[in-house]
Amino acid sequence: MARSGPEGSVWRLVRQGVPLGAVTVESADFPWLHGRFAPEPGFGRVASWFEAVQKVMAAETDDDSFGERFDEVYAPIAGELTLLSPDGLPVADFLLHIEGAEAWFRWSE
């Protein structure tokens, strides 16, 4: 069973079994976990996906199209990547943001 993990827990990001990086949790503010992201060499292939999400977030407006734009740019992350809990088990659903060496995410089993 996956756990929310205390500070210091390590969550791993993979794509088709290839390690992309790890998030070491530094703080928790339910439902979000915040930490430091340490990329692996393969992360460069997907870094632009996270950059696109941050651009949409920075341009957030109150119009109805924000959700559609967000879903569109987040789709490759949700469809191609897997987040592994500290127990090494994949989580069923997650929302992960990475900006430089910072990461924050929420997840469900």
Side-chain angles (χ1 to χ4, degrees), residues 88-103:
L89 301 173
V91 299
D93 191 31
F94 65 93
L95 181 56
L96 172 65
H97 297 276
I98 297 173
E99 189 170 22
E102 294 182 52

Side-chain angles (χ1 to χ4, degrees), residues 6-51:
E7 286 79 1
S9 64
V10 177
W11 297 69
R12 304 204 181 278
L13 185 65
V14 299
R15 182 181 189 195
Q16 299 173 346
V18 176
L20 299 179
V23 178
T24 302
V25 175
E26 295 178 332
S27 66
D29 183 17
F30 184 81
W32 295 94
L33 297 177
H34 303 266
R36 304 303 292 168
F37 180 69
E40 294 284 344
F43 182 72
R45 293 187 185 108
V46 301
S48 64
W49 298 352
F50 290 94
E51 293 165 4

